[in-house]
Amino acid sequence: MPVSRLTGIPPTIFSTMSALAVRTGAINLGQGFPDTDGPEGLIAAAQQAMADGANQYAPGIGIPPLRAAIARHQQRHYGIELDPDREVCVTTGCTEAVAAALLGLVEPGDEVVVLEPYYDSYVAMLQVAGAVRRPVRLRAPDFRLDPEELRAAVTPRTRFVLLNTPHNPTGTVLTDDELTAVADVAVEHDLTVITDEVYEHLVFDGRRHTPISTLPGMAERTLTLSSVGKSYSVTGWKIGWATGPAHLVAAVLDAKQWLSFCSGTPFQHAVAHALDHLDGWPAELAASLQTRRDLLCAGLEGIGLDPRVPEGTYFTLTDVGHLGWRDGLEFCEALPERAGVVAIPAQGFHENSEAPAVRHLVRWAFCKEPDVIEDGLRRLGGAILEK
Ligand SMILES: *Cc1c(COP(=O)(O)O)cnc(C)c1O
C-alpha cells in the first residue's frame, strides 16, 4: 500500500498504454516519444563527453557550460536576460523541474490554478505538495482559455498558476491575448506563474511561442520550465531546466538536491553543445512534425474521427462518443485487439473524468515516422470502430 500522499493517484496512463502496445504488438500512437532519434551531432557529443571522462557527479545546479547555454538560448529566442549562476537550474527532465518547483514553492493548502486537461505528473506532485487544485478547463471543440473562468478560479488562497503552453494534450498554443489575461490576473492577485514550455519549439503554421515571462510585470513572478527531450527528440535523456528570478530558482534547487541531487553529466555537456551549435534543429523538427500532423489529421478525418488540428505539440484529440463508447478508456482498451493500434484516453488528464465534455476524448501522437502513421491509419480504416 502506498502512503496516503500517493493514494488515489493512478499509475501514469503512458506506462499502462505503452505496456499494452508492447504486449499486443500494436502500433503505438499513444505515448509521446519520437521513433527516430535527435541529431547525430548531439548524440556524438554525449559519447565524446563520456570518452572524455565526464562521468561523475555534476554540480547540483548544473554544469556551468550548460547553464550558460540555456541563458544564451533564452536571450537569442526571446530576448530574456538571465544570470546563469543564479537564475538557471538544470533538472532531470522537465518532470523533475515540475516536482522540484511544486515541492520547493507550494505550502500545504495553497491553491494552484492549473489548466485542465493537465499533464498527469502535475496532479501527482500537487497532491504530494498538499496543494489545492483549482482547474480551469480548456473546452472542446477549440480548447481556448476563457479569461472569465480563469478569474473565477482565483480565491484569496490562490498563490500560483501552473501553465502549460504549447499545451499537452490539446495542442493549444496560448495566444498573446490569452497570455495577457493570465498575466493580468497574476499581477492583480500577486500570483507566481510556473510555466511548462517543453514544446516551445514545436509550433506550426508559422506561429511563434511566447514565454509568459516576457509580458510586462511577469519576469519577476514567472518560473519557466523546459527540457531537451521534445525539442531535440531525446526523450530518454531527461535533461531539463528551470529559469527565472533567483529566489524561485533557488527553491527549485533546494528541492532538487534531495530528489536526484544532480542530472546526468555527459548529457549535460551534449545539451550545452546542441543549444549552442544545433540551434536550427528544433525548427526543422517542427516543420516535419507539421507534415505528420497533417497526415494523421487527414487520415483520422477520413475514417470519421474528426480530429482537432493542433497548433503545436505532438498530439491531436478526437471525440469517440458518436461511435457508441461509454468513454475514451473503454475505446482505448479495445483498440489494440480491434485495430492493432494504441491511443491514450484523455480522461487521465482531467479531474472529473466522468464529465461529459471530456469522457470521450482520445489523444493520438503524430511524432512517429510517416510510414508508421500510415500503417496505423490503414489498420484503423480496416477495423470496426463502432462499439
Ligand atoms: C513530456 C512532457 C514533460 C516531461 O518532460 P521530460 O523532460 O521528459 O521530463 C513535461 N511536461 C509536458 C507537458 C510534457 O508533455
Side-chain angles (χ1 to χ4, degrees):
M1 269 301 276
V3 295
S4 57
R5 278 190 308 284
L6 294 174
T7 50
I9 304 173
T12 163
I13 188 74
F14 308 116
S15 323
T16 315
M17 298 314 287
S18 286
L20 186 61
V22 170
R23 203 163 62 239
T24 58
I27 295 219
N28 193 348
L29 299 182
Q31 194 173 11
F33 61 88
D35 50 9
T36 46
D37 287 340
E40 264 169 46
L42 171 64
I43 290 161
Q47 289 168 331
Q48 191 61 48
M50 282 182 219
D52 290 346
N55 298 300
Q56 307 308 326
Y57 292 131
I61 191 172
I63 60 167
L66 177 54
R67 283 184 283 115
I70 291 165
R72 281 192 290 273
H73 172 276
Q74 295 303 89
Q75 210 293 324
R76 201 164 55 240
H77 286 274
Y78 311 118
I80 298 168
E81 301 289 344
L82 294 165
D83 173 353
D85 293 328
R86 297 167 61 246
E87 297 176 326
V88 179
C89 177
V90 175
T91 58
T92 301
C94 185
T95 307
E96 189 190 47
V98 168
L102 297 177
L103 294 174
L105 289 166
V106 178
E107 293 285 0
D110 283 351
E111 290 184 358
V112 180
V113 169
V114 51
L115 300 185
E116 183 188 46
Y118 22 56
Y119 190 62
D120 63 353
S121 87
Y122 300 175
V123 181
M125 283 303 123
L126 286 168
Q127 180 167 325
V128 169
V132 176
R133 239 189 294 160
R134 300 285 294 167
V136 174
R137 177 85 54 82
L138 304 179
R139 287 171 201 285
D142 58 351
F143 300 101
R144 305 285 7 144
L145 175 65
D146 176 353
E148 289 313 308
E149 213 173 311
L150 172 69
R151 284 192 174 276
V154 176
T155 82
R157 287 176 304 283
T158 305
R159 288 191 55 222
F160 298 91
V161 179
L162 177 51
L163 211 61
N164 170 217
T165 181
H167 183 261
N168 175 7
T170 64
T172 290
V173 176
L174 294 182
T175 62
D176 286 356
D177 282 350
E178 287 166 325
L179 291 171
T180 300
V182 177
D184 286 349
V185 169
V187 169
E188 188 181 322
H189 296 274
D190 195 22
L191 309 178
T192 297
V193 175
I194 301 169
T195 172
D196 174 344
E197 304 186 354
V198 293
Y199 297 101
E200 60 187 310
H201 295 299
L202 306 186
V203 293
F204 310 133
D205 310 313
R207 280 187 186 78
R208 270 188 58 85
H209 162 74
T210 304
I212 193 168
S213 75
T214 60
L215 269 58
M218 292 308 291
E220 60 265 36
R221 60 177 67 253
T222 303
L223 183 69
T224 304
L225 315 179
S226 194
S227 151
V228 73
K230 308 292 163 52
S231 297
Y232 285 88
S233 294
V234 283
T235 59
W237 281 24
K238 303 299 280 190
I239 298 293
W241 46 88
T243 58
H247 70 283
L248 298 180
V249 169
V252 170
L253 183 57
D254 278 351
K256 184 229 153 82
Q257 66 181 326
W258 308 121
L259 294 169
S260 60
F261 174 63
C262 71
S263 307
T265 308
F267 296 128
Q268 292 194 47
H269 285 278
V271 174
H273 170 80
L275 293 181
D276 281 339
H277 300 290
L278 302 168
D279 189 44
W281 200 86
E284 290 171 33
L285 172 62
S288 126
L289 272 173
Q290 182 176 322
T291 310
R292 291 178 274 160
R293 170 197 70 173
D294 293 343
L295 176 66
L296 179 66
C297 287
L300 290 173
E301 200 172 330
I303 54 179
L305 277 170
D306 198 19
R308 192 241 169 161
V309 178
E311 296 141 18
T313 76
Y314 283 171
F315 310 110
T316 182
L317 289 176
T318 61
D319 190 307
V320 297
H322 66 288
L323 297 171
W325 296 91
R326 198 187 80 82
D327 60 36
L329 179 61
E330 195 185 25
F331 175 83
C332 290
E333 282 171 349
L335 203 56
E337 186 149 324
R338 290 208 176 190
V341 173
V342 160
I344 299 274
Q347 283 159 300
F349 298 77
H350 292 85
E351 162 126 47
N352 176 7
S353 60
E354 287 298 311
V358 305
R359 242 172 78 180
H360 301 125
L361 293 177
V362 170
R363 192 192 80 174
W364 310 83
F366 50 82
C367 51
K368 310 289 173 182
E369 286 296 280
D371 57 336
V372 173
I373 296 173
E374 277 164 4
D375 190 7
L377 288 168
R378 226 175 354 257
R379 291 172 180 221
L380 289 167
I384 295 170
L385 298 180
E386 287 81 14
K387 178 130 201 277

